[in-house]
């Protein structure tokens, strides 16, 4: 039966035994897992938020009328909330990223160390955001 | 007889598949250059964060004339250009990693990666053009 040969599987497809790991829902939810997702989420938010940066710079280059629109937005309640959220995303992503630099250099892998770094990024991000907004208001941002 | 003498012993099987050994560099079809650039741009932005925040603080509540004057000064323009260059490169790589992780349809993935490049380049060029226009005083 010559015609059947082309439908036969080639002989070199022997499966190699290799370790498999279960998917994410098997594991207990940990702080580092949650913050890993927050790192991505803040990164995506900052990506979209660069449109605000572009709008601000282009408006400054366009003239007083365009700049007044940006200022009307940034002094509105919704505008302030967005910029506040953007400040937190930036500060959190930066500190969380510094945590990744520590890991890249080969430090901070013990259970207590990685927990401490992660809490540091979480609390530090909120603290820096509040600090920046206090300075901004003290510096005339409330005008 | 061993398929792969350079990776592990017969007791500890290699994590690499035969297909993986043939195709080498994985789904991204590239090496570690993006990983390294992600770190360079991340360090750059961390260093530039305080100067960038100071510039924004200087302009809070000020009008367009003052903002245009400040943004056209050389140190301010250079700091912002560096910050934008690092940010855009960093976010382009970061978004590409997200796309490669979650978008499994090849055509959709390539489309998303293209749109990511277009968006990132547009953000970079629009902001750079605005700063250069302010600096040239036209």
């Amino acid at each position: 039966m010559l015609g059947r040969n082309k439908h036969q599987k080639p002989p070199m497809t022997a499966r190699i035994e290799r370790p498999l790991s279960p998917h994410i829902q098997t594991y207990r939810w940990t702080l580092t897992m949650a913050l890993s997702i927050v790192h991505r989420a803040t990164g995506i938010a900052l990506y979209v938020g660069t449109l605000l940066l572009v709008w601000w710079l282009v408006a400054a280059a366009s003239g007083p009328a365009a700049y007044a629109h940006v200022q009307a937005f940034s002094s509105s309640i919704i505008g302030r909330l967005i910029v506040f959220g953007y400040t937190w995303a930036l500060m959190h992503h930066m500190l969380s990223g510094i945590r990744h630099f520590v890991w890249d250099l080969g430090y901070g892998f013990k259970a207590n160390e990685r927990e401490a770094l992660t809490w540091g990024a979480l609390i530090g991000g909120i603290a820096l955001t509040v600090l920046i907004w206090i300075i901004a208001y003290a510096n005339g941002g409330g005008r | 007889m061993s398929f792969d003498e350079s990776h592990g012993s017969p007791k500890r099987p290699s994590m690499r598949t035969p297909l993986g050994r043939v195709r080498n560099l994985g789904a991204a079809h590239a090496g570690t250059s993006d990983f390294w650039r992600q770190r360079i741009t991340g360090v750059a932005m961390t260093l530039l964060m305080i100067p960038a925040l100071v510039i924004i603080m200087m302009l809070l509540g000020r009008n367009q004339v003052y903002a245009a004057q400040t943004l056209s000064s050389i140190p301010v323009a250079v700091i912002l250009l560096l910050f934008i260059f690092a940010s855009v490169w960093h976010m382009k790589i970061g978004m590409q990693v997200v796309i490669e992780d979650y978008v499994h349809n090849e055509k959709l993935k390539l489309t998303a990666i293209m749109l990511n490049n277009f968006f990132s380049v547009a953000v970079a060029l629009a902001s750079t053009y605005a700063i250069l226009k302010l600096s040239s005083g036209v």
Side-chain angles (χ1 to χ4, degrees):
Chain A
M1 301 265 262
L2 279 169
R4 292 190 79 160
N5 282 341
K6 65 181 172 187
H7 297 297
Q8 282 174 352
K9 281 187 174 181
M12 290 298 287
T13 51
R15 282 185 67 86
I16 290 176
E17 290 296 319
R18 57 180 183 275
L20 294 173
S21 64
H23 194 53
I24 192 165
Q25 65 267 25
T26 306
Y27 299 100
R28 181 177 61 88
W29 201 247
T30 63
L31 181 72
T32 44
M33 282 162 69
L35 268 282
S36 172
I37 291 167
V38 172
H39 189 73
R40 283 212 159 173
T42 49
I44 293 166
L46 292 166
Y47 180 97
V48 179
T50 53
L51 288 173
L52 287 174
L53 181 74
V54 171
W55 184 30
W56 172 57
L57 289 172
V58 169
S62 299
Y67 203 72
H69 285 300
V70 177
Q71 286 188 311
F73 171 78
S74 65
S75 57
S76 70
I77 300 283
I78 189 83
R80 293 238 156 138
L81 278 173
I82 290 170
V83 179
F84 186 82
Y86 191 82
T87 314
W88 172 74
L90 189 62
M91 288 302 112
H92 179 83
H93 196 85
M94 181 182 75
L95 293 180
S96 184
I98 290 171
R99 186 181 59 129
H100 276 284
F101 292 145
V102 173
W103 287 331
D104 286 342
L105 293 170
Y107 302 105
F109 284 110
K110 285 182 194 148
N112 60 331
E113 291 170 346
R114 58 177 193 256
E115 287 278 303
L117 281 171
T118 305
W119 276 115
L122 190 61
I123 296 165
I126 295 165
L128 280 181
T129 306
V130 172
L131 181 68
I132 286 167
W133 277 69
I134 288 170
I135 295 170
Y137 268 87
N139 197 36
R143 274 192 293 252
Chain B
M1 189 190 81
S2 170
F3 276 102
D4 187 3
E5 290 182 339
S6 62
H7 296 278
S9 64
K11 282 176 190 168
R12 260 199 286 170
S14 167
M15 295 290 286
R16 302 191 67 192
T17 63
L19 195 61
R21 276 196 291 275
V22 172
R23 287 187 175 164
N24 287 317
L25 300 163
H29 308 300
T32 54
S33 58
D34 269 1
F35 178 93
W36 176 238
R37 283 180 195 135
Q38 185 81 324
R39 267 69 194 167
I40 294 178
T41 52
V43 170
M45 275 190 289
T46 307
L47 296 173
L48 290 164
M49 191 59 79
I50 287 172
L53 285 174
V54 167
I55 291 167
I56 291 166
M57 294 285 183
M58 282 161 64
L59 299 176
L60 288 176
R62 303 288 189 160
N63 62 21
Q64 188 268 341
V65 176
Y66 184 86
Q69 199 179 18
T70 307
L71 292 171
S72 66
S73 89
I74 291 174
V76 169
V78 170
I79 288 165
L80 285 182
L81 285 172
L82 287 171
F83 192 78
I84 287 160
F85 188 70
S87 308
V88 168
W89 207 344
H90 191 85
M91 79 183 201
K92 182 257 162 196
I93 297 168
M95 185 56 80
Q96 184 160 331
V97 171
V98 170
I99 292 167
E100 284 164 355
D101 276 358
Y102 303 129
V103 183
H104 300 304
N105 179 294
E106 190 70 12
K107 281 176 192 159
L108 197 61
K109 184 175 81 182
L110 292 178
T111 308
I113 288 173
M114 273 201 187
L115 292 175
N116 177 38
N117 278 278
F118 294 161
F119 179 81
S120 303
V121 172
V123 166
L125 278 185
S127 355
T128 305
Y129 180 79
I131 291 169
L132 293 181
K133 186 171 183 289
L134 285 163
S135 297
S136 65
V138 184

